[in-house]
Amino acid sequence: MRTPALQGPLSDARVWPIRNYDDLTAAKNFLSSEWDRLAIDTETTGLSYHDEVRLVQFGDTRDAWVYDPKEFPQLTFDLMNLMVLGYPVVMHNSPFDCLHLAQLVNCPVESFMVNVADTQIFAHLLDPRDRIDGGTGKGLKECSAHYVDPSAPDGQSALKARFKELGFKVAEGFAKIDKWDPTLVLYAGIDVILTARLHKEFKKVLPQDMNHLVDFDHQVQALTTRMTQKGVLVDMDYTVGLLETLDEELLEAQAQAFLMGVENVSSTKQVAEALLARGLVLEERTPSGAWKVDKMILESLDDDLARAVLTAKASMKATSSWIEPIFEHGQIDGRVHPRIKTLAARTSRMSITDPPLQQLPSGDHRVRSCLIADPGHVLVACDFSQVEFRVLAALANEEKMIETFAQGGDLHDATAERLFGPGFTKEQRRLAKGVGFGKVYGGGVDTLSRQAGVSKIEAKKSMAAFDRSFPRVTRWSRQLIDKVTHGEPLVQLPTGRRIPIDRRYGYRATNYMIQGLAADLFKGALLELDQAGMTEHLLIPVHDEVIAMCPTAQSEEFSRSLEEIMSGELGPVPITAEAEIIGRSWGDKYKKEIYV
């Protein structure tokens, strides 16, 4: 006898639990029938790579089927076979679900992910802004409410309410709730139906001139998902030792701070009062009126208490954000599997979570040293040289910059020479570099003064000298900002990607254009590596750099191949990639780097 369907807030939708043989037969009949595109989703115990899959659900715009993959494992293989054979499948945030499905059937994720359409990619292309920034948002509920039905049900909110009713915290609710709880089953199925409907609407509203970006973004996503599945080897002995070292550093720093009047190093009030009592001068306040004692301010103070607080916070941050997650991953299969979000920022720049490896402190090699190459292999890093400035030179058609890059010169040296003459000092080069990044990222006089350690007058003079030296950059930037401020409030990249901007923040247009195009160039380079058959060597994309791995004996040849494939041109400007053989540990690179 068939298990009755669950009827939810969508009157024309049905959710079918698969609990017995009759249910299974009906589900298989559905799969063998005609449907435009099959939506697939999973419910897991948590968000981590290794968390357990509790339910799998699939369906179309009207019917959804929900089953326990442990009870009906063959059904998962049937779904995978449909994907491998090229049947149209849609998911929302497909890397998450594809990685979990791949673990269920123990297969490479690339074997079936190639034919998946991700509605989250469509959402980003149509409006890359989050709701808090005035956009549609990219969550399933947000997109469904905007594109499908304003009253589209919010499964997450309903589940959170159910968790509260059962006495579960949100973080533990997905693991502890009965998998056949009607609320969980109903909204698992509803999410599938909404995903199918959402894809149908996206196909209607997405401009045809963005179809190439749909293909591009899906290819990049499939590539980075393969990187996540491969993972990076963890040096477990070193990681355990580092956890102990950081714990000792924390205890010592807390003890020092306690002797100087601070019981809780995380209390900004206690830290501020203790610093003032020690005769330090604080000048900045938060919007609430409290003294500001953030990392930048503490680093500017030549004081033992400030150093103790910084050490304690750095130890806590490293332990909780990076080392413990790396250790937890490593305990399971010896590798860390970071999730790579290919469209994390409005500009389409990538980010990494679980753990957030893009946020590692550049001045401390210890966290990176937890990650190592496989036996007999070495790590190789390859990144673009001064890519933001090369993009700026091409977009502004700034001849002086183009000439510097064409001749293989260093733009920061060239800028310093233009601003201060051929005998410029290291400090002047640092200032010239800061002025350039100010143009790229929209920083003003105050930011440059603080970061370069110079007076506001000197910062202002340097920025004016930059404008005189590179007039086309200034003209291009002003025209772009004026267009956004007084015309259509968006920038459109040469690749066709569109980035909306609030008119009040028109000054961000320059940065969005440069950062967005640089991101697309980097992703294009990754796809070039994929097409060259090098994907199995790629581990992590970090900003404009890719960390790869190859057999030790082939490292020189491999590095040259990386450079050759990733390098190219952007109009008249050469885009140059530079590879470096790091060694066995990722941290080896940061032990020897000299920052200028």
Side-chain angles (χ1 to χ4, degrees):
M1 179 181 295
R2 293 276 307 276
T3 302
L6 297 176
Q7 195 75 43
L10 296 177
S11 59
D12 57 345
R14 296 172 299 180
V15 176
W16 300 94
I18 303 175
R19 304 300 306 274
N20 56 46
Y21 180 79
D22 289 339
D23 297 336
L24 179 63
T25 301
K28 289 190 173 185
N29 289 338
F30 169 83
L31 286 177
S32 62
S33 65
E34 292 186 8
W35 30 262
D36 177 56
R37 186 172 288 273
L38 187 71
I40 301 177
D41 190 22
T42 62
E43 298 300 326
T44 59
T45 55
L47 300 178
S48 182
Y49 176 84
H50 290 291
D51 282 332
E52 178 187 350
V53 179
R54 306 194 71 199
L55 296 172
V56 176
Q57 48 271 10
F58 59 88
D60 59 9
T61 57
R62 292 186 179 276
D63 289 279
W65 306 80
V66 183
Y67 72 96
D68 180 349
K70 291 183 179 178
E71 290 184 36
F72 302 104
Q74 184 57 47
L75 196 51
T76 305
F77 282 95
D78 292 342
L79 290 175
M80 299 300 98
N81 285 334
L82 289 173
M83 297 165 76
V84 171
L85 292 172
Y87 283 83
V89 169
V90 59
M91 298 179 180
H92 194 83
N93 186 19
S94 61
F96 181 89
D97 298 301
C98 284
L99 286 167
H100 283 291
L101 290 170
Q103 290 183 65
L104 282 177
V105 298
N106 191 26
C107 74
V109 72
E110 67 266 24
S111 65
F112 61 86
M113 190 178 181
V114 66
N115 295 311
V116 175
D118 192 329
T119 47
Q120 201 165 62
I121 286 179
F122 286 88
H124 191 281
L125 288 172
L126 284 166
D127 188 347
R129 298 171 298 173
D130 293 326
R131 287 194 67 182
I132 195 173
D133 298 320
T136 303
K138 296 178 284 293
L140 179 59
K141 161 62 180 173
E142 299 165 333
C143 292
S144 298
H146 183 82
Y147 295 103
V148 178
D149 183 350
S151 61
D154 185 356
Q156 291 290 325
S157 296
L159 280 171
K160 288 177 182 178
R162 179 60 175 153
F163 294 159
K164 185 176 181 180
E165 182 182 329
L166 294 170
F168 300 148
K169 296 179 181 178
V170 173
E172 63 183 9
F174 286 96
K176 289 190 173 183
I177 190 172
D178 186 291
K179 68 178 64 177
W180 292 113
D181 185 291
T183 303
L184 178 63
V185 175
L186 178 62
Y187 284 98
I190 291 294
D191 280 355
V192 162
I193 292 170
L194 287 176
T195 300
R197 295 183 182 186
L198 187 58
H199 179 261
K200 185 177 180 181
E201 295 303 314
F202 278 151
K203 294 291 286 184
K204 295 177 184 177
V205 299
L206 187 77
Q208 287 191 351
D209 62 357
M210 299 188 79
N211 283 334
H212 68 288
L213 287 172
V214 173
D215 294 337
F216 178 82
D217 286 337
H218 276 93
Q219 290 173 33
V220 174
Q221 188 183 74
L223 170 58
T224 57
T225 304
R226 291 170 65 182
M227 293 187 201
T228 294
Q229 187 178 51
K230 180 180 181 63
V232 187
L233 187 63
V234 178
D235 186 334
M236 291 297 289
D237 290 339
Y238 173 85
T239 302
V240 171
L242 181 56
L243 281 170
E244 295 173 352
T245 299
L246 289 171
D247 189 49
E248 292 171 0
E249 289 181 1
L250 173 61
L251 292 174
E252 183 177 349
Q254 287 175 325
Q256 292 174 353
F258 181 80
L259 293 175
M260 290 179 272
V262 176
E263 295 183 11
N264 180 5
V265 294
S266 298
S267 169
T268 54
K269 184 174 184 293
Q270 288 185 26
V271 172
E273 289 176 351
L275 288 171
L276 292 171
R278 291 170 64 81
L280 277 299
V281 177
L282 301 177
E283 298 179 348
E284 297 185 53
R285 291 183 181 269
T286 65
S288 64
W291 288 112
K292 195 173 184 180
V293 285
D294 58 17
K295 181 181 179 182
M296 186 174 294
I297 290 174
L298 291 174
E299 287 177 338
S300 70
L301 301 176
D302 184 14
D303 180 78
D304 288 340
L305 175 57
R307 283 187 283 272
V309 172
L310 283 170
T311 298
K313 287 189 172 183
S315 297
M316 289 188 289
K317 173 71 174 177
T319 297
S320 62
S321 295
W322 302 302
I323 310 301
E324 286 181 344
I326 288 173
F327 176 74
E328 289 168 3
H329 275 251
Q331 278 190 308
I332 298 173
D333 68 351
R335 309 181 80 84
V336 63
H337 300 268
R339 294 194 181 276
I340 303 165
K341 298 181 179 180
T342 57
L343 296 169
R346 183 185 307 195
T347 58
S348 82
R349 287 200 75 177
M350 293 192 279
S351 73
I352 300 176
T353 60
D354 191 30
L357 297 180
Q358 282 187 318
Q359 301 172 10
L360 295 176
S362 59
D364 190 342
H365 67 86
R366 296 183 298 176
V367 177
R368 289 179 176 84
S369 295
C370 295
L371 305 181
I372 58 175
D374 293 351
H377 291 67
V378 292
L379 298 179
V380 178
C382 190
D383 67 351
F384 287 145
S385 171
Q386 301 180 343
V387 66
E388 295 96 343
F389 295 97
R390 293 174 189 268
V391 169
L392 175 61
L395 291 173
N397 195 28
E398 178 53 74
E399 292 179 348
K400 296 172 184 177
M401 285 185 175
I402 294 172
E403 182 181 352
T404 297
F405 287 128
Q407 294 175 353
D410 181 287
L411 184 67
H412 302 315
D413 286 344
T415 303
E417 185 171 347
R418 286 186 176 278
L419 269 58
F420 307 110
F424 62 86
T425 64
K426 288 184 178 180
E427 289 72 21
Q428 288 173 328
R429 183 187 185 278
R430 187 179 296 113
L431 178 56
K433 182 178 180 179
V435 174
F437 275 110
K439 285 294 179 182
V440 170
Y441 294 109
V445 171
D446 291 344
T447 301
L448 178 61
S449 172
R450 182 173 62 251
Q451 293 182 347
V454 298
S455 68
K456 292 183 180 180
I457 294 177
E458 189 173 356
K460 189 173 183 179
K461 287 172 59 179
S462 299
M463 292 177 74
F466 184 96
D467 290 341
R468 290 192 299 270
S469 297
F470 303 110
R472 291 191 178 185
V473 167
T474 303
R475 187 182 308 119
W476 170 78
S477 181
R478 286 176 179 170
Q479 289 175 346
L480 183 62
I481 292 171
D482 186 66
K483 181 180 178 182
V484 168
T485 304
H486 303 291
E488 190 174 7
L490 62 80
V491 295
Q492 183 164 355
L493 307 185
T495 57
R497 202 178 297 279
R498 296 164 184 168
I499 309 174
I501 303 179
D502 191 310
R503 295 187 197 278
R504 296 173 298 170
Y505 307 118
Y507 62 88
R508 296 176 179 172
T510 302
N511 170 243
Y512 285 177
M513 180 72 85
I514 295 170
Q515 189 180 110
L517 186 51
D520 279 346
L521 287 173
F522 179 64
K523 292 175 183 177
L526 292 180
L527 293 183
E528 291 284 343
L529 293 173
D530 183 39
Q531 292 163 11
M534 302 182 75
T535 303
E536 64 178 287
H537 300 284
L538 307 182
L539 299 178
I540 319 171
V542 185
H543 301 302
D544 301 317
E545 174 182 63
V546 62
I547 306 299
M549 179 177 68
C550 71
T552 304
Q554 301 172 15
S555 58
E556 292 288 349
E557 179 183 356
F558 180 78
S559 298
R560 288 193 296 271
S561 296
L562 278 180
E563 291 180 339
E564 181 180 346
I565 295 169
M566 290 184 66
S567 296
E569 296 84 27
L570 180 61
V573 180
I575 303 297
T576 304
E578 298 177 348
E580 173 188 1
I581 301 171
I582 300 175
R584 181 82 196 282
S585 159
W586 188 15
D588 290 344
K589 174 181 178 181
Y590 292 81
K591 293 177 185 177
K592 56 192 176 184
E593 273 195 350
I594 300 175
Y595 292 87
V596 295

